[in-house]
Amino acid sequence: MSGISTINAEQGVTTPGHHGSNSNVSPGEIAIGVVIGRASEYFDFFVYAIASVLVFPTVFFPFEDPLTATLYSFIVFSFAFIARPFGTVALMKVQQKFGRETKLTVALFMLGISTAGMAFLPSYATLGVGAIVMLSILRIGQGLALGGSWDGLPSLLALNSPENKRGWYAMLGQLGAPVGFIIAAGLFAYLLYALSSDDFLSWGWRYPFYVAFAINVVALFARLRLVATNEYSRLLEERELQPVKVIEIMGSQGHNILVGALAALASYALFHVVTVFPLSWIALNSERSIPEFLIIQMAGAVLAAGSVVLSGVIADRLGRRNTLGFLAIMIALFSFFVPHMMGGGDDGQTAFILIGFVLLGLSYGQAAGAVTANFKAKYRYMGAALTSDLAWLVGAGFAPLVALGLAAHFGLEYVSLYLLSGAVGSLAALSLNRALELKD
């Protein structure tokens, strides 16, 4: 393709491409950067998430019973989501002063160091409360880095994809989630099979964190190779994908950020209800083999990857927001079966995982930036980043803690209500977004 399609940031209108310095930048090239970046981040994400269930309660909270220790572990888990928007804001300032490449380098090295640092942490038995403090600091470092690693490539991809293929290109970055989960769960399953329980809890669990650091380094150079080129820099500037002041965007676009975050609430709530929560429930309440359960979850993630791809086809036919709305209804219906499946023995739990992952892939495939077209051009870059941060915080950050706490103290029926509330929130936000559009 000798030119690129130009899409109006506010109205989403495709106009003919033009020849020039950007002629060799294609949506496919941008997609490569998005997939590489997201897959590496999600691998980090799930390495920590799985360790929060299988490792940290024993290593860092041995003074509590298993349930309380896991809930404490999930509290530390949430710290990254709280820190994430602060990382976005702080490192946007770094970008304004030193450039996009410097910001991305700082963010990804911070992420790699925070993740690898966990591999060297002393246990509670060695350092006492100091070990928990160090884990918490490194978890906050992960959150700051994830917020700061926003490179604008998903927005650039959305703006430069063909009008009839926006759903397809939107789902590409979301493929990083199932890919990251499969690799992380596979590593832990192998270590659990290969090592004794004592060896795993002593040193085996540290290995995935070393791997995460190595993957981050590779991903850093792959992404820098893209964003540091003159073609990408010019394209990002032409699209006005640059930072703006937080006060300015919150004052002008705060409602769009809130609506955008809540629109995908059902998907983000389901995200941890089918990945982290069931693993913790099985570990605490079942005699089932953890490695075998991880393999079932990996099979679910393979289905999720296929569903993410399918979501792109569906969204291009029905529209992204219609797709999200329909999937929110499906998640609401699915929520009523949570107690029956999770409390229904091995077969019911397996069904919950497989069906849940399919729904997750279909919904999460279109969850990123479904309503970011609402942002004016100059606010899209910062608005998309803050929308993502807020969606993770309100939808997913506390999901394992809330779901396990409710299930343990009140019953699995309350997990149904929690998931249902996310679906209702999504439908309300999508309806509000539609009403605002009609009003405009």
Side-chain angles (χ1 to χ4, degrees):
M1 187 169 64
S2 58
I4 60 171
S5 296
T6 303
I7 300 175
N8 183 285
E10 294 185 54
Q11 300 184 22
V13 178
T14 303
T15 57
H18 63 277
H19 298 279
S21 61
N22 297 328
S23 60
N24 60 345
V25 178
S26 70
E29 289 178 298
I30 303 170
I32 290 172
V34 173
V35 172
I36 290 173
R38 297 306 171 263
S40 65
E41 289 171 7
Y42 280 112
F43 176 72
D44 278 19
F45 182 98
F46 283 118
V47 163
Y48 187 94
I50 294 171
S52 292
V53 176
L54 303 181
V55 179
F56 297 158
T58 301
V59 173
F60 295 102
F61 304 99
F63 50 87
E64 291 289 356
D65 63 87
L67 171 62
T68 305
T70 304
L71 292 173
Y72 281 162
S73 179
F74 284 162
I75 290 174
V76 179
F77 176 81
S78 71
F79 289 171
F81 300 94
I82 298 171
R84 194 166 165 152
F86 295 98
T88 295
V89 173
L91 285 169
M92 286 290 185
K93 292 185 179 297
V94 171
Q95 178 176 334
Q96 288 175 315
K97 190 168 184 178
F98 300 105
R100 191 184 312 272
E101 297 87 350
T102 300
K103 182 193 84 162
L104 188 59
T105 302
V106 170
L108 292 185
F109 265 106
M110 185 189 300
L111 179 60
I113 291 169
S114 297
T115 303
M118 293 174 182
F120 297 96
L121 282 175
S123 66
Y124 180 87
T126 302
L127 194 62
V129 176
I132 301 173
V133 172
M134 292 174 68
L135 175 66
S136 300
I137 291 171
L138 291 176
R139 182 59 176 163
I140 291 169
Q142 283 186 320
L144 293 172
L146 283 170
S149 67
W150 182 257
D151 51 23
L153 289 178
S155 296
L156 189 60
L157 180 60
L159 290 169
N160 286 277
S161 58
E163 187 174 5
N164 63 341
K165 290 286 186 181
R166 290 182 196 160
W168 177 262
Y169 281 101
M171 68 83 186
L172 290 174
Q174 307 300 79
L175 276 172
V179 170
F181 183 85
I182 290 167
I183 299 171
L187 261 178
F188 275 100
Y190 171 77
L191 291 169
L192 287 166
Y193 270 125
L195 302 175
S196 67
S197 178
D198 288 343
D199 284 344
F200 174 74
L201 290 173
S202 175
W203 58 267
W205 67 270
R206 301 174 188 273
Y207 177 70
F209 289 90
Y210 296 127
V211 176
F213 178 76
I215 289 177
N216 266 311
V217 172
V218 173
L220 167 64
F221 287 105
R223 292 167 73 182
L224 282 177
R225 185 172 176 269
L226 288 169
V227 302
T229 60
N230 291 332
E231 290 86 352
Y232 278 92
S233 295
R234 282 194 289 267
L235 195 55
L236 287 162
E237 290 172 6
E238 287 175 7
R239 299 303 194 189
E240 299 183 64
L241 294 176
Q242 303 295 331
V244 296
K245 293 181 178 179
V246 177
I247 295 177
E248 181 182 353
I249 191 171
M250 293 307 295
S252 172
Q253 303 291 306
H255 61 289
N256 281 331
I257 292 173
L258 181 61
V259 170
L262 295 180
L265 188 60
S267 180
Y268 282 94
L270 183 63
F271 193 95
H272 281 149
V273 170
V274 299
T275 55
V276 184
F277 162 68
L279 184 62
S280 66
W281 186 256
I282 294 300
L284 292 168
N285 299 287
S286 174
E287 297 298 323
R288 220 170 161 176
S289 165
I290 295 298
E292 290 178 6
F293 190 74
L294 283 171
I295 291 172
I296 290 170
Q297 287 192 300
M298 290 168 64
V302 171
L303 295 177
S307 299
V308 168
V309 175
L310 182 60
S311 78
V313 177
I314 296 172
D316 285 330
R317 294 188 178 183
L318 302 181
R320 293 179 66 189
R321 279 172 285 189
N322 289 337
T323 301
L324 272 180
F326 174 73
L327 266 301
I329 294 172
M330 294 302 294
I331 291 170
L333 293 174
F334 176 70
S335 70
F336 291 108
F337 295 94
V338 172
H340 305 289
M341 288 189 283
M342 283 301 293
D346 291 0
D347 291 341
Q349 292 159 1
T350 299
F352 173 80
I353 293 299
L354 298 181
I355 296 171
F357 266 103
V358 169
L359 286 175
L360 176 63
L362 290 170
S363 60
Y364 190 67
Q366 299 301 313
V371 298
T372 51
N374 294 353
F375 291 108
K376 294 180 180 178
K378 67 176 290 189
Y379 297 121
R380 183 182 284 260
Y381 178 76
M382 191 86 164
L386 291 174
T387 298
S388 176
D389 293 341
L390 187 59
W392 278 112
L393 177 60
V394 300
F398 300 97
L401 175 67
V402 173
L404 181 60
L406 288 174
H409 291 104
F410 303 104
L412 288 165
E413 294 80 9
Y414 283 81
V415 180
S416 294
L417 293 177
Y418 176 72
L419 196 53
L420 180 63
S421 68
V424 171
S426 283
L427 291 170
L430 290 167
S431 298
L432 177 60
N433 182 68
R434 179 62 176 166
L436 291 173
E437 277 192 346
L438 292 174
K439 181 180 179 181
D440 291 339

